[in-house]
Amino acid sequence: MPRFYVTTPIYYVNDVPHIGHSYTTVVADVLARYHRLFGDEVKFLTGVDEHGQKVQQATQKNGREPQPYVDEMAERFRAIWKELNIQHDIFFRTTDAFHVKGVQACLQQLFDKGEIYSEDYEGLYCVSEEIFYTEKDLVNGKTPLGNEVVPLKEKSYFFRMGKYQKALIEHIEKNPGFIQPENRKNEILGFLRQPLHDLCISRPKARLSWGIELPFDRDYVCYVWFDALLNYATGVGYQQPGREQEFQTWWRDTGAVHLMGKDILTTHAVYWPTMLMALGAGLPKTIFAHGWWLTESGEKMSKSKGSVVRPLDMKDVVGVDPLRYFLTRDIHLGNDASFSPELVVTRVNAELANNLGNLLSRVTNIVDKNFGGAAPALTSAVAPESQAVLAKIEGLADRVAACVRALDPQGACLEVLELLNDANKYIGDRAPWKQVKEPDLAPAAETLAVCLEVLRVAGILWHPIMPTKCEALLKVIGFATVPAFANARLVRGMPAGAKITKPEPLFPRVDWKPDGK
Ligand code: MSP
């Protein structure tokens, strides 16, 4: 059975969940649900990154002890994923004891092999920002934020990252799908044309105590990225006695697909593979950097730019499934796109309310009124325009699957949308509301039967994007449970006489105006 292991970044707990986190998690969920629909075995990991400077600062600011604070914040992420109908298999927390032990085992192994060494580091340190600067970073002798720096000498531990530069370049060049999309791969190759430095993986406890202690020096904790990146492997059993088979299956044999935003590609595409090379643990299959949601004026959306309606609040305006639809539909994975409440509402009204919603309500209303609520049978010979719509169903499921396997959820979504567009034009042209007034009901029956096939296929193939709505849609046309993928591959898959019910509008028009307009 094919397997699919997909991950999102593990999010810093100091921030409340926002559109950036939600986007990657929804995309990963859509991909994972598609693979489950295909019958693949799936593992989907998401979680939270709980150690490090940012989290320590947040706990201090809030006057809290770190553990209860991160426990509480982790729950916020769990709650929002539940609300967004995210079906993750693993919710990872870096403070879990098994992970801490796994990271320490890695550190010790690398230290014993000489892959980690200590050295005095001399730099210009800014006490208030807790950051080392080099001469060239400074502006008039001060940090870019205008703070004082002092020379500081400190022992640090380094991972011999530079040693793996050549091997990494070779791996990227030999495996074209390793870093995607292509432009990001080229960026990383460009970055690797400069000498690759070793990576400082320690922080003295005197400055940062909230982290995983180095097993070979108790005065230090581990750099947060070194700890966090390992989650993808410890999450499937790495460094854990008794879980070797699981690690073999999911990590080595299947290979992870890591999704993350382009701003954190370097840590994933350079630090992480070199760490794995040093550990001899095997590399992920794909590292995919997606783009950003931008404001209408082209800036990266972020919490601090508090617009009146926050992106996640849109789920209360349009509903969870339509928001999932928008996030999948409006960005080609890898590119940037604009987000605004108006864009979400316009899209939802045009494609869900007018298109899918209208088709569903027209068909179910007429079947209810004129056919006693029983799906008319589709005869073997049909009119050319009916055949043309049925021909669009042929091969559609496989085209959707090909898009998903190529990590193009937008493409999968649009394949189905195209069928719905055709079906809407078809129902408009054939006007079954007029056809039912003729003495011969056969043409009306044919129109409705063709449209029901379209609704069946769309309901199955959009289910990963809008699980609740599509389940309801399929129920309305007589399917008590979501049919298997094999059913979506059938051109004629409606059982004749299936019970059709007149639904409450499943995709109502959204009437929304920004405050004050
Ligand atoms: N903790 C690290 C990841 C460690 S993974 C081993 C981290 N966490 S984060 O909470 O800051 O995650 C941010 C994620 O949200 C990134 O993937 C980032 O690209 C994404 N986004 C934040 N704002 C975004 C948009 N406006 N649009 C799309 N995604 C963006 O980094």
Side-chain angles (χ1 to χ4, degrees):
M1 191 195 281
R3 290 201 174 84
F4 180 63
Y5 175 32
V6 66
T7 69
T8 73
I10 50 170
Y11 307 111
Y12 287 125
V13 276
N14 58 306
D15 208 352
V16 288
H18 59 67
I19 193 72
H21 311 126
S22 304
Y23 173 56
T24 327
T25 312
V26 165
V27 167
D29 187 58
V30 167
L31 294 171
R33 283 174 182 269
Y34 268 117
H35 280 269
R36 287 190 203 109
L37 178 68
F38 305 155
D40 298 351
E41 209 182 322
V42 170
K43 228 182 242 306
F44 167 16
L45 176 150
T46 187
V48 283
D49 189 351
E50 302 176 281
H51 292 126
Q53 193 91 32
K54 288 188 191 204
V55 177
Q56 178 166 304
Q57 271 167 356
T59 59
Q60 284 163 350
K61 207 172 96 197
N62 294 297
R64 302 283 305 269
E65 281 303 311
Q67 193 64 52
Y69 171 79
V70 296
D71 288 347
E72 194 180 300
M73 296 301 280
E75 281 319 304
R76 294 202 190 192
F77 280 88
R78 260 193 223 277
I80 187 96
W81 300 154
K82 196 158 172 227
E83 224 183 300
L84 291 181
N85 216 345
I86 304 296
Q87 226 172 44
H88 47 79
D89 300 292
I90 304 169
F91 185 82
F92 197 94
R93 296 190 54 183
T94 54
T95 52
D96 276 343
F98 79 88
H99 173 71
V100 172
K101 279 197 198 126
V103 171
Q104 287 180 324
C106 291
L107 288 163
Q108 189 66 53
Q109 221 169 299
L110 293 177
F111 186 70
D112 293 344
K113 286 205 283 186
E115 300 280 343
I116 289 177
Y117 61 91
S118 70
E119 201 174 79
D120 279 340
Y121 182 78
E122 237 181 310
L124 298 164
Y125 186 69
C126 171
V127 181
S128 60
E129 297 171 30
E130 304 189 50
I131 293 178
F132 273 103
Y133 285 95
T134 60
E135 209 60 74
K136 70 174 169 32
D137 299 325
L138 301 181
V139 183
N140 301 327
K142 293 191 173 171
T143 75
L145 296 176
N147 295 314
E148 301 286 343
V149 289
V150 287
L152 191 76
K153 194 166 157 186
E154 178 174 280
K155 183 173 90 170
S156 287
Y157 289 90
F158 290 87
F159 160 53
R160 292 190 195 281
M161 183 159 77
K163 182 175 152 186
Y164 295 94
Q165 178 165 14
K166 201 161 152 264
L168 178 59
I169 295 173
E170 266 172 32
H171 185 84
I172 297 171
E173 282 172 346
K174 277 202 195 118
N175 297 275
F178 182 58
I179 301 176
Q180 295 186 49
E182 187 74 14
N183 58 339
R184 300 282 165 228
K185 175 179 103 178
N186 293 333
E187 260 175 41
I188 293 294
L189 284 171
F191 174 82
L192 288 170
R193 260 180 239 123
Q194 307 296 322
L196 183 63
H197 299 295
D198 290 347
L199 181 69
C200 176
I201 54 100
S202 64
R203 296 291 181 268
K205 273 193 188 166
R207 280 198 280 121
L208 174 69
S209 57
W210 183 237
I212 298 180
E213 194 174 87
L214 298 187
F216 42 82
D217 191 336
R218 304 195 56 185
D219 291 336
Y220 291 81
V221 297
C222 171
Y223 170 46
V224 68
W225 272 100
F226 191 94
D227 154 7
L229 286 162
L230 277 165
N231 92 90
Y232 301 133
T234 60
V236 288
Y238 186 47
Q239 298 286 12
Q240 288 152 73
R243 290 179 69 188
E244 294 81 6
Q245 187 52 48
E246 183 188 346
F247 181 65
Q248 178 68 32
T249 302
W250 288 100
W251 190 261
R252 291 194 187 267
D253 300 346
T254 307
V257 174
H258 296 317
L259 298 178
M260 84 280 327
K262 59 185 179 180
D263 47 325
I264 54 172
L265 176 62
T266 312
T267 47
H268 282 82
V270 180
Y271 297 9
W272 181 221
T274 53
M275 284 164 63
L276 289 163
M277 282 174 177
L279 288 160
L283 301 190
K285 187 159 78 191
T286 299
I287 296 169
F288 197 113
H290 65 68
W292 286 337
W293 287 101
L294 307 175
T295 61
E296 275 176 307
S297 52
E299 288 165 75
K300 182 183 176 204
M301 292 201 100
S302 74
K303 190 188 59 162
S304 50
K305 314 233 166 69
S307 46
V308 187
V309 173
R310 284 169 302 165
L312 266 186
D313 292 345
M314 286 313 288
K315 73 179 183 321
D316 302 327
V317 176
V318 296
V320 166
D321 277 357
L323 178 65
R324 290 172 57 108
Y325 178 83
F326 178 83
L327 294 177
T328 310
R329 155 73 174 93
D330 261 61
I331 258 191
H332 176 73
L333 196 63
N335 295 353
D336 293 342
S338 305
F339 190 106
S340 76
E342 286 84 351
L343 282 171
V344 180
V345 168
T346 307
R347 185 67 79 198
V348 165
N349 281 342
E351 291 174 5
L352 298 182
N354 292 354
N355 191 334
L356 177 56
N358 261 354
L359 183 68
L360 180 68
S361 65
R362 280 170 157 177
V363 171
T364 51
N365 275 319
I366 306 171
V367 174
D368 179 67
K369 202 164 144 209
N370 302 88
F371 292 84
L378 185 60
T379 52
S380 49
V382 291
E385 66 271 24
S386 302
Q387 190 49 46
V389 175
L390 294 176
K392 293 271 164 108
I393 298 180
E394 179 103 50
L396 176 69
D398 294 328
R399 290 197 296 279
V400 166
C403 288
V404 170
R405 295 195 192 282
L407 297 175
D408 179 12
Q410 183 196 45
C413 183
L414 293 180
E415 287 282 352
V416 177
L417 182 64
E418 232 174 86
L419 173 69
L420 287 167
N421 285 337
D422 289 350
N424 264 298
K425 182 161 184 321
Y426 167 79
I427 200 170
D429 293 347
R430 300 257 304 186
W433 47 92
K434 286 188 193 147
Q435 288 177 314
V436 289
K437 299 202 172 114
E438 301 296 323
D440 178 10
L441 276 186
E446 181 176 315
T447 312
L448 298 164
V450 167
C451 291
L452 281 167
E453 297 295 2
V454 169
L455 288 167
R456 169 184 62 85
V457 170
I460 302 172
L461 294 177
W462 267 2
H463 183 264
I465 303 174
M466 296 186 285
T468 312
K469 291 286 184 191
C470 287
E471 243 156 71
L473 180 156
L474 288 161
K475 211 164 254 162
V476 161
I477 61 166
F479 293 93
T481 54
V482 180
F485 183 63
N487 188 287
R489 300 179 77 199
L490 300 174
V491 176
R492 295 159 175 265
M494 276 302 288
K499 188 163 168 25
I500 310 296
T501 37
K502 226 175 98 176
E504 293 297 305
L506 270 182
F507 299 97
R509 255 193 93 74
V510 180
D511 199 13
W512 181 87
K513 297 239 170 342
D515 286 352
K517 284 198 189 164

